[in-house]
Each structure stands twice: as C-alpha cells, then as structure tokens.
Amino acid sequence: MFCTRCGNQLEPTSRFCPACGAPVAASAAPQQPFAPSRLMRPRNNRMIAGVCAAFARQYGWDVTLVRIVTAIVCLSGAGAIAYIVAWILIPEEPYALPTI
Ligand SMILES: [Zn+2]
C-alpha cells in the first residue's frame, strides 16, 4: 500500500501517511452508516418472510447462501428467534407499480 499523495510506502494498518499526513485512501472513504431504512423485505423472490432476501439484496450476498446459513443457524434455536425479530423489525417493501 502506498500513499496516493507522496508515494511513501505505508503500513497496511496505518490510517495516515507518516511522511505527508495524508489520509490513507481505504480508511479515508466515508464509513457507510447503517441505514435500516434501506433494508426492506422484497415482496417477490422470498421464501418465508423475505428476511434472507432483504439481507442478501442489502449487502450484495448470494441469497441461496444466506438461506443455507439462516437454516443452519435456525436449527440451533436462537437463530429462529433472531429470524422472527428480523421479520418484525425489517419493514416490508412498498408495493411496486406494475411495469407493464
Ligand atoms: Zn504521503
């Protein structure tokens, strides 16, 4: 990793260039704030309540992988409660107008 301003080699963990003080590009990018309003359960492409599809779409995960992981976690018991909590907390997507 190198400083974008002066080209000085940087430690991978450093947040600022020790030579010129420029913020390191990776950590200079604004942290994505947690935006629960964007997390919505889609009305289509859902298996049970759309919780898996909501997380998969929000974070760009593979929905099949999310469902497999969710199924495994739900078998432990606590996961099922977490799923129901997510079901309640995550709002449902508003009805989309037909595009045809
Ligand atoms: Zn620098």
Side-chain angles (χ1 to χ4, degrees), residues 44 57 79 84:
N44 52 10
R57 195 177 59 173
I84 292 164

Side-chain angles (χ1 to χ4, degrees), residues 27-64:
S27 53
Q31 295 286 319
Q32 279 290 330
F34 179 62
S37 59
R38 282 178 58 223
L39 189 65
M40 286 189 291
R41 290 182 285 120
R43 288 188 181 273
N44 52 10
N45 194 29
R46 56 162 65 173
M47 289 289 279
I48 300 169
V51 172
C52 296
F55 279 105
R57 195 177 59 173
Q58 174 79 2
Y59 299 107
W61 297 337
D62 187 285
V63 69
T64 309

Side-chain angles (χ1 to χ4, degrees), residues 3-8 10 17-22:
C3 174
T4 52
R5 188 188 285 177
C6 69
N8 185 47
L10 302 168
C17 173
C20 71

Side-chain angles (χ1 to χ4, degrees), residues 73-95:
V73 172
C74 280
L75 291 174
S76 72
I81 295 163
Y83 187 92
I84 292 164
V85 170
W87 188 345
I88 294 163
L89 291 180
I90 300 170
E92 206 158 27
E93 189 178 57
Y95 279 114

